[in-house]
């Protein structure tokens, strides 16, 4: 949805918040077309995984709850960061905040593999600038 032809029509609505802090209100603040595309893609991926692996309904339930919790954290004011040992999975709210501030970086939602390994679009977190001292 960051394609130049689509961004101003669809996804720009979600990026009006440069510093998302309202959790689900900011996470779910998306254009109806974006929501429909996202739901279809998510369900296609989940149903494909269920078909291939035979995942149990409880697994799907946990997936959607974790997905929702991380989406809310991504749009919250909290500095949450964690990694799962021995997996290379690293999560940081700051990565998604950078995506809202500079919308040409950090496209991945939760794990930055896409941005670091494939697209070279990863940007380290840049905190707020210190206030300038008056002379």
């Amino acid at each position: 949805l960051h394609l130049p032809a689509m961004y101003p029509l669809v996804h720009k609505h979600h990026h009006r918040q440069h510093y998302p802090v309202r959790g689900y209100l900011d996470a779910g603040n998306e254009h109806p077309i974006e929501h429909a595309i996202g739901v279809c893609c998510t369900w296609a991926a989940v149903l494909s995984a269920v078909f291939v692996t035979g995942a149990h309904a409880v697994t799907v339930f946990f997936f959607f709850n974790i997905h929702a919790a991380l989406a809310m954290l991504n749009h919250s004011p909290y500095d949450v960061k964690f990694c799962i040992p021995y997996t290379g999975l690293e999560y940081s709210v700051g990565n998604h905040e950078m995506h809202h501030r500079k919308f040409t970086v950090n496209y991945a939602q939760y794990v930055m593999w896409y941005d670091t390994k494939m697209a070279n679009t990863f940007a380290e977190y840049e905190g707020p600038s210190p206030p300038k001292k008056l002379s």
Side-chain angles (χ1 to χ4, degrees):
L1 295 173
H2 280 265
L3 300 170
M6 290 206 45
Y7 180 80
L9 300 172
V10 179
H11 193 60
K12 188 175 182 177
H13 174 83
H14 179 73
H15 278 267
R16 289 186 303 171
Q17 289 284 20
H18 294 280
Y19 293 94
V21 295
R22 300 177 303 168
Y24 183 74
L25 292 175
D26 287 336
N29 181 20
E30 55 194 9
H31 192 281
I33 292 172
E34 179 177 6
H35 183 75
I37 291 170
V39 168
C40 289
C41 290
T42 301
W43 272 109
V46 167
L47 293 174
S48 297
V50 168
F51 179 76
V52 171
T53 66
H56 192 276
V58 173
T59 304
V60 174
F61 173 80
F62 278 113
F63 166 79
F64 277 109
N65 280 278
I66 291 169
H67 180 64
L70 292 177
M72 287 186 282
L73 277 175
N74 268 348
H75 297 87
S76 75
Y78 306 110
D79 184 21
V80 177
K81 211 186 259 194
F82 62 85
C83 67
I84 300 173
Y86 310 111
T87 64
L89 296 175
E90 231 176 274
Y91 171 82
S92 169
V93 169
N95 290 335
H96 193 70
E97 182 183 307
M98 286 303 296
H99 176 69
H100 273 264
R101 289 165 51 195
K102 299 177 178 183
F103 52 88
T104 58
V105 300
N106 298 3
Y107 294 106
Q109 273 277 343
Y110 310 120
V111 180
M112 295 292 116
W113 285 339
Y114 172 81
D115 295 289
T116 57
K117 307 263 189 255
M118 295 171 63
N120 197 27
T121 54
F122 179 74
E124 290 288 339
Y125 180 73
E126 297 171 11
S129 301
K132 293 180 182 175
K133 293 184 180 182
L134 297 174
S135 304

